Amino acid sequence: MSELERRAATVWAVDVFLDHDESTVHAVAKLYAEGRPALVGTGAAGLCPGQDLAVGERLAASRALERLAAGLLIDARHEVDEPEPSGREGFAHRARPPRSAPRMLVGADRPLRRTPAIDWAVAHTEPGGLGIELCHVVDDAGPSWERTLRGSVSEAKDEMTELLDEVHQEHPSANLTSSVLVGSESALLARSRDRELVVLGRADADGTDGSYVGATAMTIAQNAEVPIVVVPSGWSPHPDSAGPVMVAIDALEPHLEAVEFALAYAHWRGLPLLAVSAWDTPATSGTPMLLNSEEEWMERIADGLDAAVSPLRALYPDVAVSQRSPHGPPADVILGLAEKASLLVVGRPGHGRHWRMPLGSVSRRLLHRAAVPVAVVPTDWHALASAMPRHLPG
């Protein structure tokens, strides 16, 4: 035993539990310390045909430990900012300490006026929600003279002040600020890095699809380091609505961050969760049939869905969770089921700060067509680093 081990005031222990099926390795890391509840981190890694299982286990374990470290860091920061009274139950059961800076960034386009995206954000400020920064970006590629650019910025600031006053009159207790930036979507991306959530509106247009997500919103959705929510123009708040939070999962390659975000949001808003993995028969879509029958595919999808949801639902025991694996074209099935949802959550592929993959075709169609707000959650998002209230088992 080293000198440091002999002098340690607190004994810490970490256990990592691993399990796998044909396509995915799952890891759960637990940190134990004397006199405090266990912290839990989860991770997963996909398995390719012929891939060494040990490589997948190391990757899944590293992601679980990374989440564990994020939780420990947040715990330490909370204790520094707000020392615990005696008899504390653990940081996961404590309300988030108040923050003066707004944690939700809401994009606003000119003419600056109340939009469903702003209404959605305001609905999440009370009670105990996140502060809001309304942000408009003046395109510096448009005006060709400096005087014109200055005029555009000045006009935008005047409109933003009027918009802020209008929202404040209806919601006087809301924590609202505003900003006008100059640049492109990269300016909004940079602004979003220290926020919890980005909220953008979806413009509707006449056409075969009925609506579309603009280039700026799609760029943010594919590159933001935090979750974004895209709100359709036809959305309106319904105070009495208790529609479930719905998370769409690819059971063969699940994005656990999307599941965790959906659970955390459902816990925060007191809503049930519906986890859906829609699937279509590979033979009908031109893909070779790797399994012998539809029954085997159905069993494989159901097992993958359960493996993605079960380890994380233990973190939020108060959330009622149901699971469905319907057969049919995934985008059409999900859009139909999401019509009565409060929020539809999807994951964004890619791992790590410097590697971004575009959204898949199903996720893009959901962003374009969904009648409800859609949250896009990046792979490297951590619930423990978010301001949304959360729960960990003791």
Side-chain angles (χ1 to χ4, degrees), residues 107-115 118 135-137 155-163 166 179-180:
D109 289 331
R110 296 187 67 185
L112 296 176
R113 61 183 186 275
R114 286 282 294 275
T115 63
I118 294 175
C135 182
H136 173 68
V137 179
E155 291 172 3
K157 287 183 176 179
D158 290 342
E159 290 182 21
M160 185 66 82
T161 299
E162 294 178 3
L163 174 61
E166 178 186 348
S179 60
V180 175

Side-chain angles (χ1 to χ4, degrees), residues 10-344:
T10 305
V11 177
W12 300 75
V14 177
D15 287 331
V16 178
F17 305 92
L18 295 165
D19 191 13
H20 70 90
D21 52 31
E22 295 179 1
S23 62
T24 310
V25 177
H26 302 275
V28 177
K30 292 187 177 182
L31 173 66
Y32 305 92
E34 293 178 356
R36 60 194 301 147
L39 294 180
V40 179
T42 61
L47 288 176
C48 299
Q51 178 181 336
D52 186 357
L53 176 61
V55 175
E57 289 180 338
R58 287 196 296 271
L59 182 56
S62 68
R63 291 176 177 174
L65 290 169
E66 184 182 36
R67 289 178 174 225
L68 195 62
L72 188 61
L73 178 61
I74 295 300
D75 193 12
R77 285 176 176 171
H78 283 181
E79 289 181 348
V80 170
D81 294 340
E82 182 180 310
E84 276 296 325
S86 59
R88 78 184 191 110
E89 297 181 7
F91 88 95
H93 301 275
R94 180 173 69 250
R96 176 176 56 88
R99 289 171 170 158
S100 57
R103 308 305 297 172
M104 194 185 323
L105 185 67
V106 183
D109 289 331
R110 296 187 67 185
L112 296 176
R113 61 183 186 275
R114 286 282 294 275
T115 63
I118 294 175
D119 289 337
W120 188 93
V122 170
H124 289 72
T125 63
E126 304 170 0
L130 311 178
I132 295 175
E133 177 186 354
L134 302 180
C135 182
H136 173 68
V137 179
V138 177
D139 188 358
D140 60 357
S144 54
W145 295 283
E146 182 180 353
R147 179 180 302 175
T148 306
L149 179 60
R150 280 203 304 267
S152 298
V153 172
S154 177
E155 291 172 3
K157 287 183 176 179
D158 290 342
E159 290 182 21
M160 185 66 82
T161 299
E162 294 178 3
L163 174 61
L164 206 64
D165 290 343
E166 178 186 348
V167 178
H168 257 139
Q169 287 179 4
E170 189 171 340
H171 303 274
S173 62
N175 177 12
L176 296 172
T177 62
S178 66
S179 60
V180 175
L181 310 178
V182 176
S184 62
E185 60 265 17
S186 60
L188 195 61
L189 276 172
R191 194 77 165 191
S192 71
R193 289 188 183 122
D194 61 347
R195 301 297 188 262
E196 307 286 351
L197 198 65
V198 177
V199 182
L200 302 173
R202 188 185 76 197
D204 286 352
D206 294 333
T208 56
D209 286 341
S211 60
Y212 70 95
V213 175
T216 297
M218 190 61 71
T219 299
I220 301 298
Q222 295 185 152
N223 294 277
E225 297 177 8
V226 299
I228 83 156
V229 175
V230 176
V231 182
S233 63
W235 180 88
S236 60
H238 300 288
D240 298 330
S241 175
V245 179
M246 179 174 161
V247 56
I249 304 170
D250 180 351
L252 301 182
E253 192 176 351
H255 297 292
L256 299 185
E257 288 79 3
V259 179
E260 190 170 6
F261 178 93
L263 280 164
Y265 181 88
H267 167 73
W268 180 24
R269 308 298 291 180
L271 297 171
L273 175 72
L274 172 61
V276 175
S277 183
W279 62 284
D280 205 357
T281 306
T284 64
S285 59
T287 303
M289 179 74 85
L290 300 179
L291 299 179
N292 294 328
S293 65
E294 287 192 8
E295 288 73 18
E296 289 183 349
W297 270 104
M298 186 181 302
E299 182 179 354
R300 173 79 175 273
I301 296 299
D303 289 346
L305 178 61
D306 189 62
V309 174
S310 294
L312 291 169
R313 66 186 299 179
L315 304 179
Y316 302 89
D318 60 315
V319 177
V321 179
S322 57
Q323 300 173 199
R324 295 186 61 181
S325 50
H327 178 261
D332 293 338
V333 170
I334 294 169
L335 286 171
L337 292 174
E339 289 181 353
K340 296 183 179 180
S342 296
L343 180 71
L344 173 60

